[in-house]
């Protein structure tokens, strides 16, 4: 694990963030042939590229799907933030707030 961690383009001091990012990599790396071919799950220019090792899929994710990786890092940052609000109430629309009754 230590050797592979050194190859990753992003390292976090937070073990939870590392775990979440590793699961993101795992979800987007498909093993096509046992130990020899790996495929990126995200299409690039209409095709899913095949690589010789998982490290190359991770590098591809950072080079060609930067926006997706950045969104994942943003989400990870939010989920691992101890100061984030936990009692989120979803917007239930205007009917729950008393608006719109005049129209009926």
């Amino acid at each position: 694990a230590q050797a592979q961690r050194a190859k990753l383009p992003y390292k976090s001091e937070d073990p939870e963030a590392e775990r979440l990012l590793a699961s993101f990599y795992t979800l987007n790396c498909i093993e096509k042939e046992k130990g020899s071919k790996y495929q990126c799950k995200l299409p690039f220019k209409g095709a899913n590229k095949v690589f010789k090792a998982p490290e190359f899929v991770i590098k591809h994710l950072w080079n060609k799907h930067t926006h997706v990786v950045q969104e994942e890092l943003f989400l990870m940052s939010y989920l691992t933030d101890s100061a984030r609000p936990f009692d989120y109430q979803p917007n239930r629309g205007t009917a729950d707030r008393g608006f719109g009754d005049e129209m009926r």
Side-chain angles (χ1 to χ4, degrees), residues 84-100:
R84 74 180 167 106
F86 285 98
D87 58 343
Y88 171 72
Q89 293 294 321
N91 182 2
R92 296 189 183 132
T94 56
D96 290 347
R97 290 188 231 139
F99 298 114

Side-chain angles (χ1 to χ4, degrees), residues 43-64:
F44 178 67
K45 294 185 179 180
N48 294 63
K49 195 163 179 176
V50 178
F51 301 91
K52 292 182 179 182
E55 301 88 52
F56 297 119
V57 176
I58 294 169
K59 185 177 176 183
H60 167 79
L61 285 168
W62 277 93
N63 289 333
K64 304 299 180 187

Side-chain angles (χ1 to χ4, degrees), residues 5 10-24 72-73 75-82 84:
R5 183 178 292 174
Y10 175 81
K11 290 182 266 184
S12 174
E13 300 299 320
D14 183 13
E16 181 65 11
E18 280 286 324
R19 186 187 67 76
L20 291 171
L21 192 57
S23 67
F24 171 76
E72 188 67 21
L73 289 172
L75 180 61
M76 277 181 5
S77 175
Y78 174 74
L79 292 175
T80 58
D81 183 5
S82 59
R84 74 180 167 106

